[in-house]
Amino acid sequence: MSFTFSDQQTLLSTLLGDSNTSTDDAFPLALRKKYINRGELRFALDTKLVREKASGTVSSSQISVPSDWIETHTLIVGNSVINQDREIDIAHYERWYNYGGNVPLYYFSEESGTRYIKFLGSPNTQAYSLYYFKKPTTELSGDSDVSIFPEEFREASVYWAASELLQQVGKNTIADRFKAIYSTYVQQARAYAERYYITKSYAAPDVNQ
């Protein structure tokens, strides 16, 4: 079984009730492709369904955040898990400047279009693993291209696209119906992600480390 970009376009034509895709038609092909790709991005943001890993060694007290990063799942530096409880507000940088703990604090910074995680402490030369939720960064273009999402969720972006396009031409009732179907896919994908990416909460007392 497969569900390619061509299949997504065919489904969109069905939902729109219009298979005409020339530049003189209501929904030209380029517009349809653009909205399916926007739906792919929206589904990634709404579900945080696809996880990725980046790894390397901390240098200059920072690591680069991947361009497809949406949100951090788990950051490991050395053998320590560095999650949101270690993040500081950059506006309070001075308060933490002389921090010397073995487990580093961090903050986000963006410089010349690149986002970084900046560390306080002494993490240089330590290995890191950044597990994060990703978004698509390459648009679906060719008919044989496939979504980054599991096959059972590839219709979702099409329903989002159909809803947005139909709303633009005033067909709000059916647009709302398709948006509701999209929302159902989002809920199912979130449940899938929760089962797949196990997250357990344990007591984490402050031991002043």
Side-chain angles (χ1 to χ4, degrees), residues 15-17 22 31 33 40 47 50 53 58 74 76 81 110 115 123 132 138 148 151 153 158 168 190 193 200-201 206:
L15 297 179
L16 295 175
S22 75
L31 182 66
K33 290 184 174 183
E40 292 279 297
T47 64
V50 182
K53 175 188 176 184
V58 178
T74 300
I76 301 173
V81 175
E110 190 160 337
R115 184 176 294 169
Y132 64 96
T138 301
I148 66 171
E151 194 166 308
F153 299 115
V158 184
Q168 291 176 16
R190 287 176 176 171
K200 296 181 179 179
S201 297
D206 185 354

Side-chain angles (χ1 to χ4, degrees), residues 108-121:
F108 280 90
S109 177
E110 190 160 337
E111 303 167 16
S112 301
T114 300
R115 184 176 294 169
Y116 295 95
I117 293 176
K118 302 268 192 172
F119 294 108
L120 299 178

Side-chain angles (χ1 to χ4, degrees), residues 5 9 18 22 38 60 66 103 113-115 120 123 133-134 145 156 173-176 190 200:
F5 191 38
Q9 294 173 68
D18 184 357
S22 75
R38 295 302 295 176
S60 301
V103 180
T114 300
R115 184 176 294 169
L120 299 178
F133 298 108
K134 66 181 290 186
D145 291 350
T173 299
I174 192 169
D176 290 344
R190 287 176 176 171
K200 296 181 179 179

